[in-house]
Amino acid sequence: MAPNVEGLDALDARLLLLLADEPRLGVLECSRRLGVARGTVQARMDRLVQRGILLGFPPDLDLAAMGYGLTAFAVLEIAQGHRGVVAEQLAAIDEVCEVHATTGQGDLFVRMVARSNADLQRVIDEVVSVTGVRRTSTSIALSTPVPPRVRPLLERLAETGE
């Protein structure tokens, strides 16, 4: 199996799919299911971790079941040169789940969660009070028809090697 341009091959993809489906599998069981040596699986996993592709095995949590049933997205316009400081302060707000630096209308795209509309107002107030935030525009997510995913990319790589 020749590696593709990014350095992942079909075996890497099959291993990652297996771990995505059953993250508690051990190396020995992965090797059995993939039909390769235990050392091969261990070496592949070590390489994927070293290259920053495999980031860990955190549990997949349902935020709504944890009491955070409201998801919102905010586009922030910030003062020039303040991205690092703003991102650091946003990271200190527990309900801020992700922050992406973007091009286009705003400077930062923020995903946040809240327990209710009133709680969301509290979170937005915290975000707006961050030094360097000039303007926000917030939208509430009504549903998530396509959740975050990488599976289709891995399946294509596992099947075609590309």
Side-chain angles (χ1 to χ4, degrees):
M1 288 182 242
N4 69 7
V5 177
E6 291 81 28
L8 291 180
D9 63 17
L11 180 58
D12 291 327
R14 289 175 41 228
L15 174 59
L16 290 170
L17 283 166
L18 186 59
L19 291 171
D21 290 342
E22 300 181 61
R24 295 176 62 166
L25 284 182
V27 173
L28 186 60
E29 182 62 17
C30 287
S31 70
R32 188 186 68 72
R33 291 191 190 186
L34 294 171
V36 298
R38 181 193 180 288
T40 300
V41 170
Q42 187 64 60
R44 295 289 181 123
M45 288 178 65
D46 291 345
R47 184 174 53 97
L48 292 167
V49 169
Q50 180 183 31
R51 293 184 55 218
I53 294 168
L54 180 58
L55 300 176
F57 299 92
D60 188 13
L61 304 175
D62 183 335
L63 290 170
M66 292 173 50
Y68 293 93
L70 198 149
T71 298
F73 298 93
V75 175
L76 307 183
E77 292 179 22
I78 62 173
Q80 286 188 350
H82 286 77
R83 186 180 69 222
V85 173
V86 170
E88 188 176 299
Q89 291 178 60
L90 290 172
I93 300 171
D94 296 339
E95 293 83 2
V96 170
C97 298
E98 292 179 67
V99 178
H100 299 270
T102 60
T103 62
Q105 192 95 22
D107 302 303
L108 297 175
F109 187 70
V110 179
R111 181 172 69 94
M112 58 188 118
V113 295
R115 295 181 181 277
S116 64
N117 287 347
D119 191 41
L120 177 61
Q121 183 62 62
R122 177 192 58 78
V123 175
I124 291 170
D125 290 345
E126 282 189 58
V127 169
V128 170
S129 71
V130 167
T131 304
V133 172
R134 291 209 167 142
R135 176 184 213 99
T136 67
S137 175
T138 304
S139 298
I140 295 174
L142 300 176
S143 67
T144 307
V146 180
R149 63 196 184 123
V150 296
R151 182 173 207 82
L153 299 172
L154 291 172
E155 287 173 345
R156 181 176 66 202
L157 180 59
E159 291 172 14
T160 67
E162 297 178 8

